[in-house]
C-alpha cells in the first residue's frame, strides 16, 4: 500500500493527494487562502510576483514553485508574511493605474495607505484588434499573458522587457492587430487586472444570469465551453475544464457566437409559391414536407448533418428508413472522412480513432499527415506545438509550409496527389532496414510475406521523382517514426480527399502495424474529424449501407434488432451515397431530397453542376439557420436551432460522447431540429413519444451496441468514449488492446495511380489547386462570417508561389480568376513561399469566391469521397 504523504500547515496535519505538487497545493488542500497574483492552474507556475511566499523553518519561499515533501511544516500566515504582502501591494499600487479590478485584487494583500508615491509610467493602449483590448497602465507584470501565449498556444506574441521598476509587457512594434496573435483570447481570460481584456468582457453586465457548460460546434475537437448568459443573450464564452481542451479555446469557440442573433437568421418556415419563398406556418410547412416525401418513398433521399446532434441524426435516418422505407441516407462525412472510415475498417475492422487526445502528450514522435491542425483544429494544433517544443519528434506530410511544418524535424513536402507513393516509401524503409516490430506482426498482422515482396518497389530512391521528396529525408523520417517508443499519427483531409483517399488511410494503418503502434497509450492512427459531429452522425447510421452502430442494413439480424425498437424493419438493400444521389436526381429516379443543415451548393465539388442538379428537383427541403445557397433553391425551408439553442450530444474525433446544453432560447419561431424531426416522424405515421433529447438518446442506445451503457447521467462531466457496452463500463480510451475487430490487422498492398488531375496538369502545363480551411472560419462560413471573425479574414486569397505569379504577370493583391474544366473561382492573389511552385491554395469559406465551382467530380471509388485536394487549374488576372 502506498504510504500517505502528510505535511503540517499552520500546525495542522494535512494528507496530500498525488496531484498536490507544490507548497501552494498543500496550503490550499488545508483550506488556507494564500494570495498568488501570477498563478493560474492553466499554465506552469513562474514564481514572478512573490505574493505567495510562505515560511518553512523560518525561511520564506514562493509556494507556487517550491515542491512539497512529506514531513514539511508550512507557515502561511504570520505577522512577518502579512507585513511583506502589504508592502508588496503598496509597491504594485504605485506602479499601476487604480481601478476596481486592480483594487479588489490587491486588497487581499493589504489595505491601500499610499506608502509609495505613484510612478509616472504611462501604459500602452491598443484597440486595433477586433476582439482584444489592451491597457497596460493596469498591468502588474504577472507575465501570465507571456506564459499562456508561449506555453499553451505556442505563439510568443508577448514578452517582458526592462529590469526592476522598468519591467513591462510588450508585443513589439506596431499595433496589436499586426502581431502573430491567433485571437485565442487566452491572455484575456488569464489577465487578473483587465490590462488585457476583450470586447465580450468589456460589454458584459456585471451580474450574469447563468453559465452553461456545452460543447463547441466549430470542429471535431469537441472543446468544452462555459457559456456566460445574461437574459436571453450569450455575452461571453470561456473554456471549461476538460481533458479535451483544458480550458483553452480558439478564436471561433471563444468569440464567434454573435451569429446566433444575427438579423439574417431564419425565424420562421418558408414555402415556395409562384417561384418565391414566402412565410408559412409550421403546420402548413410540416404537413407539406411529410406528405410530399412520404409519397415518394425510396425515390426520396436524405442528406443528414455533422453539424447537428447525434439525437437529430438518429431521428432523421429513422424517419427515412421506417416511414419512407428508404436507405438513401448519407451525411457530409462522406465528402471528408468517409475514406478514414472505409480505410480503417478494412485494415482494423472499425473506422474510428484508435486513441485519445491525451496521448498527444504521451507520444514521443508525432506524424501529422495532410492536416494543417493549427488552423483546422486549433486546440489540437496548439497541443501538437507544445508537444514538439517539449521534445517530441515531429514529422509533417504536407505540400504546404504550414506552422507545424516550420517546426517539424522532417517536413515531407510532397507533390499534391502523391500520398500513396510517399507512404509506401516510408514503409519500404522500415521493412528494408529491419525496423519493424516482428513480435507484433507475428501475433496481430496478416499478409506480411506478400507485403515484403510488394513494398520493395517503393524504395524512396525510386519514388523521389514522383513525390519530389528527397530519399534521404524519407529515410530519416521513417527511422524517427520506427525507432520511437510511442509513435502516434494524426491525419486530416490532405490524406482522405484524394482519388486514392481510402487507400492512403490504409497505408497509414500499415505504418502503425509495422512498428506495433496500436493497442496502447501514446500511439495509434487517428483521423482529425473536420466537423463537430461527423463521428456521431456516422455512428447513427447516416450512411446508406449501415444502421446505427455500423450494423449492415443487409444483415437480417441487424434489421430485426432495430425493428424490435422501431416497430418496423428498414429495407434490406443499401441506398445511394451522396454522389450517386446526384446522379439519380439527374436521371429522374430521385425526385425528393431533404437536406439537414448543410450548404452543399457551396461545399460540394463541381458546385455549378450541384446547383443545377438541385434546381431540377421536384421537391427540395432544407433545414437551416440561414438562407444558404442551397436553401435558396428549396421548395420548403425549415428554420432550425444553433448548438447554443438546444440540447443533445456530439461525439468528437476521439469517440468521446459529450453533452450539448441549451444556453439561450431559439430565435423567433425557429425550433430545435430534434423537435422538427420528431414531428415529421409523427406526421409520417411513426410514433415519436419524445419529451426531450434525453428520451431520444435512451432509445438510440437500445439499437447501438457500442453505446448500450451510456446515458445522459453518465455523460455528465467529461463524457464517455465509446464503446460503452454496459452501464458499469468506464468507456474506452484505447481501441484494439488485445485484438482487432477483424481478427488480425491487414497489411494492405496499394499501388500508386496518378490522379487524373496530375495527368491533366502535366499535359497542359496547369497548376494544381489544393483547398482547405482557414483559422478564422468554418466550412461554408455561414456562422463565422456573421461575426467579427469577418474582420480577421474578410475575403479569400489565392495563394500561389512567387515564381508562378511572375510567370503569369501577377502581383500581390491582383484580382484573379482560377479556372478549371469545371468552372471558375475568384479571389485576390497572395504571393507566398508557403505553397510550392506549381500549386495554388484556396479556402471554401466564401460564397463569392466560388472555390468549389472549380473542384472536380472525381471521387475515391472505395468511399465516393470527392478529390478536393487536387484540381488542375489556370490562374489569370481578372479583367
Amino acid at each position: 500500500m502506498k504510504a500517505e504523504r502528510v505535511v503540517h500547515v499552520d500546525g495542522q496535519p494535512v494528507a496530500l493527494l498525488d496531484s498536490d505538487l507544490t507548497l501552494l497545493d498543500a496550503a490550499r488542500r488545508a483550506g488556507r487562502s494564500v494570495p498568488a497574483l501570477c498563478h493560474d492552474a492553466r499554465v506552469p507556475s513562474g514564481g514572478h510576483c512573490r505574493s505567495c511566499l510562505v515560511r518553512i523553518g523560518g525561511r520564506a519561499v514562493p509556494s507556487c514553485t517550491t515542491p512539497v515533501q512529506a514531513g514539511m511544516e508550512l507557515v502561511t500566515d504570520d505577522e512577518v508574511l502579512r507585513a511583506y504582502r502589504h508592502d508588496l501591494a503598496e509597491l504594485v499600487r504605485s506602479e499601476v493605474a487604480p481601478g476596481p479590478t486592480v483594487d479588489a485584487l490587491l486588497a487581499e494583500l493589504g489595505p491601500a495607505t499610499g506608502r509609495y508615491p505613484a510612478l509616472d509610467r504611462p501604459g500602452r493602449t491598443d484597440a486595433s484588434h477586433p476582439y482584444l483590448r489592451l491597457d497596460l497602465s493596469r498591468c502588474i507584470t504577472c507575465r501570465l499573458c507571456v506564459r499562456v501565449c508561449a506555453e499553451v498556444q505556442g505563439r510568443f506574441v508577448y514578452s517582458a522587457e526592462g529590469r526592476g521598476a522598468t519591467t513591462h509587457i510588450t508585443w513589439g512594434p506596431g499595433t496589436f492587430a499586426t502581431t502573430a496573435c491567433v485571437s485565442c483570447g487566452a491572455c484575456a481570460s488569464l489577465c487578473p487586472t483587465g490590462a488585457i481584456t476583450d470586447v465580450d468582457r468589456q460589454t458584459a453586465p456585471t451580474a450574469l444570469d447563468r453559465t452553461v457548460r456545452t460543447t463547441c460546434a466549430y470542429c471535431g475537437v469537441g472543446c468544452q465551453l462555459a457559456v456566460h448568459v445574461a437574459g436571453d443573450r450569450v455575452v461571453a464564452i470561456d473554456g471549461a475544464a476538460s481533458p479535451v481542451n483544458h480550458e483553452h479555446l480558439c478564436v471561433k469557440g471563444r468569440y464567434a457566437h454573435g451569429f446566433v442573433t444575427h438579423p439574417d437568421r431564419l425565424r420562421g418556415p418558408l414555402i415556395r409559391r409562384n417561384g418565391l419563398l414566402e412565410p408559412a406556418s409550421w403546420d402548413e410547412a410540416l404537413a407539406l414536407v411529410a406528405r410530399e416525401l412520404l409519397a415518394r418513398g425510396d425515390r426520396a433521399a436524405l442528406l443528414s448533418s455533422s453539424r447537428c446532434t447525434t439525437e437529430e441524426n438518429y431521428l432523421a435516418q429513422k424517419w427515412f428508413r421506417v416511414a419512407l422505407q428508404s436507405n438513401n441516407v448519407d451525411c457530409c462525412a462522406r465528402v471528408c472522412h468517409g475514406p478514414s472510415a472505409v480505410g480503417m475498417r478494412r485494415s482494423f475492422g472499425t473506422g474510428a480513432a484508435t486513441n485519445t487526445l491525451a496521448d498527444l502528450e504521451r507520444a514521443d514522435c508525432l506524424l501529422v499527415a495532410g492536416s494543417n491542425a493549427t488552423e483546422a483544429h486549433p486546440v489540437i494544433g496548439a497541443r501538437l506545438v507544445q508537444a514538439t517544443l517539449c521534445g517530441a519528434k515531429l514529422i509533417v506530410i504536407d505540400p504546404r509550409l504550414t506552422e507545424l511544418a516550420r517546426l517539424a524535424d522532417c517536413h515531407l513536402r510532397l507533390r499534391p496527389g502523391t500520398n500513396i507513393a510517399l507512404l509506401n516509401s516510408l514503409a519500404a524503409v522500415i521493412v528494408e532496414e529491419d525496423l519493424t516490430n516482428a513480435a507484433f506482426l507475428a501475433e496481430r498482422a496478416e499478409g506480411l510475406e506478400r507485403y515484403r515482396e510488394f513494398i520493395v518497389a517503393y524504395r524512396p530512391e525510386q519514388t523521389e521523382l514522383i513525390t519530389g521528396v528527397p530519399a534521404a529525408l524519407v529515410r530519416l523520417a521513417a527511422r524517427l517514426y520506427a525507432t520511437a517508443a510511442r509513435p502516434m499519427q494524426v491525419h486530416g483531409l490532405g490524406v482522405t480527399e484524394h482519388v486514392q483517399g481510402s487507400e492512403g488511410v490504409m497505408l497509414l494503418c500499415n505504418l502503425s502495424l509495422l512498428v506495433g503502434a496500436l493497442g496502447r497509450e501514446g500511439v495509434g492512427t487517428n483521423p482529425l474529424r473536420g466537423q463537430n459531429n461527423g463521428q456521431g452522425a456516422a455512428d447513427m447510421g447516416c450512411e446508406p449501407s449501415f444502421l446505427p452502430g455500423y450494423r449492415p442494413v443487409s444483415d437480417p439480424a441487424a434489421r430485426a434488432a432495430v425493428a424490435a425498437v422501431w416497430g418496423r424493419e428498414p429495407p434490406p438493400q443499401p441506398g445511394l451515397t451522396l454522389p450517386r444521389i446526384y446522379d439519380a436526381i439527374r436521371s429522374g429516379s430521385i425526385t425528393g431530397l431533404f437536406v439537414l443543415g448543410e450548404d452543399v451548393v457551396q461545399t460540394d465539388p463541381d458546385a455549378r453542376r450541384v446547383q443545377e442538379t438541385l434546381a431540377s428537383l421536384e421537391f427540395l427541403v432544407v433545414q437551416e439557420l440561414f438562407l444558404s445557397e442551397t436553401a435558396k433553391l428549396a421548395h420548403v425551408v425549415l428554420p432550425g436551432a444553433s448548438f447554443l439553442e438546444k440540447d443533445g450530444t456530439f461525439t468528437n474525433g476521439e469517440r468521446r460522447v459529450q453533452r450539448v446544453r441549451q444556453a439561450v432560447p431559439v430565435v423567433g419561431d425557429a425550433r430545435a431540429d430534434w423537435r422538427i424531426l420528431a414531428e415529421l416522424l409523427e406526421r409520417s405515421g411513426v410514433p415519436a413519444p419524445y419529451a426531450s433529447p434525453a428520451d431520444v438518446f435512451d432509445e438510440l442506445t437500445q439499437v447501438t451496441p457500442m453505446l448500450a451503457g451510456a446515458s445522459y447521467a453518465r455523460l455528465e462531466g467529461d463524457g464517455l468514449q465509446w464503446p460503452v457496452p454496459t452501464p458499469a463500463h468506464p468507456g474506452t480510451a484505447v481501441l484494439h488492446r488485445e485484438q482487432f475487430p477483424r481478427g488480425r490487422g491487414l497489411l494492405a498492398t496499394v499501388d500508386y495511380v496518378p490522379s487524373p488531375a496530375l495527368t491533366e496538369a502535366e499535359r497542359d502545363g496547369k497548376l494544381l489547386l489544393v483547398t482547405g480551411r482557414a483559422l478564422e472560419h468554418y466550412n461554408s462560413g455561414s456562422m463565422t462570417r456573421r461575426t467579427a471573425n469577418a474582420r480577421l479574414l474578410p475575403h479569400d486569397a489565392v495563394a500561389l508561389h512567387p515564381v508562378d505569379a511572375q510567370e503569369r504577370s501577377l502581383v500581390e493583391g491582383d484580382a484573379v480568376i482560377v479556372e478549371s474544366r469545371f468552372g471558375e473561382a475568384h479571389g485576390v492573389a497572395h504571393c507566398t513561399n508557403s505553397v510550392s511552385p506549381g500549386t495554388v491554395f484556396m479556402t471554401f469559406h466564401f460564397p463569392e469566391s466560388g472555390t468549389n465551382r472549380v473542384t472536380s467530380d472525381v471521387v475515391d471509388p472505395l468511399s465516393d469521397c470527392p478529390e478536393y485536394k487536387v484540381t488542375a487549374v489556370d490562374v489569370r488576372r481578372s479583367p
Side-chain angles (χ1 to χ4, degrees):
M1 175 179 276
K2 192 172 182 179
E4 188 178 58
R5 292 193 303 157
V6 176
V7 298
H8 285 78
V9 179
D10 296 331
Q12 299 299 314
V14 178
L16 301 177
L17 302 179
D18 289 342
S19 57
D20 295 324
L21 303 178
T22 66
L23 298 181
L24 184 61
D25 293 333
R28 290 182 173 175
R29 176 72 52 203
R32 300 299 190 271
S33 178
V34 175
L37 298 182
C38 71
H39 175 76
D40 191 288
R42 288 171 281 184
V43 292
S45 294
H48 300 294
C49 72
R50 290 304 196 261
S51 67
C52 69
L53 291 189
V54 297
R55 291 198 297 116
I56 301 177
R59 183 167 59 96
V61 296
S63 62
C64 69
T65 57
T66 304
V68 65
Q69 298 177 16
M72 282 182 163
E73 296 194 5
L74 285 71
V75 175
T76 68
D77 185 43
D78 63 16
E79 186 175 343
V80 172
L81 289 172
R82 286 194 295 273
Y84 166 77
R85 291 167 184 161
H86 186 203
D87 196 56
L88 175 64
E90 292 293 78
L91 280 170
V92 173
R93 287 186 179 103
S94 73
E95 297 176 353
V96 301
T101 304
V102 173
D103 293 347
L105 184 72
L106 296 178
E108 185 180 0
L109 301 177
T113 61
R115 180 178 302 176
Y116 300 106
L119 296 179
D120 184 17
R121 195 175 75 174
R124 191 176 177 188
T125 62
D126 190 284
S128 63
H129 192 277
Y131 293 118
L132 295 170
R133 298 290 180 265
L134 299 97
D135 179 358
L136 298 190
S137 69
R138 301 176 181 179
C139 177
I140 61 172
T141 327
C142 67
R143 294 175 173 82
L144 282 172
C145 57
V146 177
R147 284 184 284 141
V148 75
C149 189
E151 297 171 32
V152 175
Q153 186 58 46
R155 294 302 286 183
F156 305 94
V157 170
Y158 299 101
S159 63
E161 291 185 354
R163 295 178 62 83
T166 66
T167 303
H168 62 281
I169 299 300
T170 184
W171 58 82
T175 65
F176 191 81
T178 64
T179 68
C181 174
V182 293
S183 312
C184 71
C187 55
S189 72
L190 265 71
C191 180
T193 67
I196 305 172
T197 187
D198 56 43
V199 292
D200 284 353
R201 286 173 170 78
Q202 282 188 335
T203 58
T206 304
L208 299 172
D209 291 325
R210 59 194 178 278
T211 295
V212 179
R213 176 167 171 155
T214 192
T215 304
C216 183
Y218 274 121
C219 76
V221 177
C223 293
Q224 292 299 284
L225 309 179
V227 181
H228 306 304
V229 180
D232 292 339
R233 185 172 64 92
V234 174
V235 295
I237 294 178
D238 282 315
S242 161
V244 174
N245 56 305
H246 302 290
E247 300 183 58
H248 193 45
L249 294 175
C250 76
V251 61
K252 296 185 288 290
R254 189 181 300 276
Y255 294 124
H257 53 79
F259 74 91
V260 173
T261 55
H262 195 277
D264 290 348
R265 277 290 301 275
L266 293 167
R267 286 169 162 77
L270 303 173
I271 291 178
R272 188 171 299 277
R273 297 183 178 96
N274 300 317
L276 299 176
L277 286 170
E278 298 178 349
S281 69
W282 274 106
D283 183 68
E284 183 183 12
L286 293 174
L288 178 60
V289 171
R291 183 175 66 251
E292 288 288 337
L293 292 180
L294 197 61
R296 284 168 170 78
D298 66 0
R299 296 177 66 232
L302 165 70
L303 177 59
S304 199
S305 177
S306 295
R307 293 165 57 198
C308 289
T309 66
T310 298
E311 293 80 356
E312 289 157 355
N313 280 285
Y314 171 79
L315 291 176
Q317 62 83 36
K318 177 183 175 181
W319 173 37
F320 262 66
R321 287 186 162 123
V322 177
L324 278 66
Q325 287 290 289
S326 172
N327 280 324
N328 297 323
V329 173
D330 211 355
C331 176
C332 54
R334 170 74 50 200
V335 301
C336 53
H337 273 290
S340 291
V342 171
M344 295 178 73
R345 194 178 295 127
R346 291 191 174 205
S347 293
F348 303 147
T350 188
T354 63
N355 284 65
T356 184
L357 293 177
D359 285 333
L360 293 172
E361 285 78 32
R362 299 184 180 114
D364 59 355
C365 180
L366 294 158
L367 171 60
V368 180
S371 170
N372 185 12
T374 55
E375 297 213 27
H377 302 86
V379 170
I380 286 180
R383 292 176 72 167
L384 289 167
V385 169
Q386 292 306 318
T388 304
L389 295 176
C390 290
K393 298 299 182 183
L394 177 63
I395 303 164
V396 172
I397 299 174
D398 201 301
R400 294 197 297 148
L401 187 60
T402 62
E403 180 181 349
L404 288 176
R406 294 178 191 275
L407 287 174
D409 296 274
C410 289
H411 177 201
L412 306 182
R413 195 169 186 177
L414 76 170
R415 189 183 185 203
T418 62
N419 291 348
I420 298 297
L422 179 62
L423 294 172
N424 271 337
S425 70
L426 288 167
V429 175
I430 294 171
V431 172
E432 176 191 336
E433 299 188 7
D434 199 23
L435 301 175
T436 61
N437 186 326
F440 185 91
L441 289 171
E443 181 182 352
R444 300 195 58 185
E446 67 177 53
L448 179 58
E449 292 310 313
R450 173 177 49 84
Y451 185 77
R452 285 185 185 277
E453 296 174 2
F454 164 82
I455 205 65
V456 172
Y458 285 91
R459 296 175 70 248
E461 289 75 14
Q462 294 163 272
T463 60
E464 184 173 338
L465 287 177
I466 297 172
T467 66
V469 182
L473 191 58
V474 174
R475 288 190 176 274
L476 175 60
R479 291 167 190 151
L480 285 176
Y481 181 77
T483 58
R486 296 173 303 282
M488 182 179 184
Q489 301 171 12
V490 295
H491 70 266
L493 306 187
V495 172
T496 61
E497 291 180 342
H498 289 276
V499 71
Q500 288 187 283
S502 297
E503 292 170 317
V505 174
M506 293 167 73
L507 298 193
L508 287 173
C509 296
N510 281 355
L511 294 177
S512 293
L513 288 166
L514 287 171
V515 302
L518 292 160
R520 55 191 172 95
E521 293 181 342
V523 297
T525 301
N526 302 280
L528 296 181
R529 294 279 183 174
Q531 297 206 52
N532 53 291
N533 203 29
Q535 186 67 60
D539 294 345
M540 290 302 101
C542 290
E543 49 184 303
S545 300
F546 292 101
L547 297 168
Y550 302 101
R551 294 190 288 182
V553 296
S554 57
D555 180 2
R559 296 197 306 277
V562 297
V565 177
W566 292 352
R568 186 180 182 187
E569 278 198 12
Q573 303 84 11
L576 302 174
T577 63
L578 180 57
R580 305 290 78 80
I581 288 171
Y582 291 149
D583 290 343
I585 293 171
R586 288 188 279 266
S587 71
S589 56
I590 293 290
T591 61
L593 178 65
F594 189 102
V595 179
L596 177 61
E598 295 298 332
D599 189 7
V600 292
V601 169
Q602 186 177 335
T603 60
D604 277 15
D606 196 5
R608 178 187 55 78
R609 196 173 187 214
V610 171
Q611 184 176 30
E612 292 171 353
T613 300
L614 297 189
S616 72
L617 272 166
E618 291 181 8
F619 192 67
L620 173 63
V621 184
V622 176
Q623 192 162 309
E624 254 292 3
L625 302 179
F626 300 97
L627 194 64
S628 64
E629 299 303 304
T630 305
K632 291 175 183 177
L633 302 174
H635 299 90
V636 179
V637 179
L638 303 176
S642 74
F643 74 99
L644 292 166
E645 300 167 312
K646 61 187 176 184
D647 292 294
T649 58
F650 294 153
T651 302
N652 76 348
E654 58 172 353
R655 297 169 284 105
R656 188 182 298 273
V657 186
Q658 301 182 108
R659 281 296 318 278
V660 177
R661 298 176 180 86
Q662 184 175 2
V664 292
V666 186
V667 298
D669 197 25
R671 294 183 181 179
D673 300 82
W674 74 270
R675 290 188 180 277
I676 300 171
L677 293 163
E679 184 158 350
L680 287 170
L681 275 162
E682 288 278 3
R683 288 174 180 264
S684 302
V686 180
Y690 313 115
S692 70
D695 294 336
V696 182
F697 191 84
D698 288 344
E699 180 180 299
L700 70 84
T701 62
Q702 298 177 50
V703 297
T704 312
M706 63 200 186
L707 294 176
S711 65
Y712 271 26
R714 295 200 65 205
L715 296 179
E716 287 300 316
D718 296 329
L720 291 167
Q721 289 176 270
W722 65 252
V724 192
T726 66
H729 195 281
T732 308
V734 178
L735 297 180
H736 319 316
R737 285 191 181 272
E738 303 297 330
Q739 64 179 13
F740 299 106
R742 71 181 305 277
R744 286 175 172 262
L746 173 66
L747 285 166
T749 56
V750 179
D751 273 314
Y752 166 67
V753 179
S755 163
L758 269 69
T759 303
E760 180 185 350
E762 289 178 355
R763 183 189 66 228
D764 301 337
K766 293 183 176 181
L767 304 175
L768 290 173
L769 171 66
V770 178
T771 66
R773 290 182 169 90
L775 168 69
E776 297 82 0
H777 293 293
Y778 171 71
N779 280 23
S780 67
S782 62
M783 298 189 294
T784 51
R785 285 185 290 103
R786 291 177 169 92
T787 70
N789 280 32
R791 289 176 55 195
L792 292 168
L793 187 67
H795 57 76
D796 204 0
V798 179
L800 70 166
H801 193 274
V803 170
D804 295 320
Q806 185 176 16
E807 288 177 354
R808 290 157 178 78
S809 301
L810 299 173
V811 298
E812 183 77 17
D814 276 351
V816 296
I817 295 173
V818 180
E819 185 177 19
S820 75
R821 59 191 178 91
F822 302 96
E824 288 185 357
H826 300 264
V828 175
H830 174 48
C831 304
T832 172
N833 290 317
S834 67
V835 296
S836 299
T839 63
V840 180
F841 177 81
M842 294 181 71
T843 75
F844 51 87
H845 303 309
F846 299 89
E848 61 271 21
S849 296
T851 301
N852 281 317
R853 290 179 173 268
V854 173
T855 49
S856 79
D857 61 356
V858 174
V859 298
D860 166 26
L862 299 182
S863 66
D864 260 357
C865 176
E867 188 173 50
Y868 288 100
K869 293 301 183 240
V870 186
T871 306
V873 298
D874 290 315
V875 180
R876 67 180 190 275
R877 182 181 286 106
S878 180

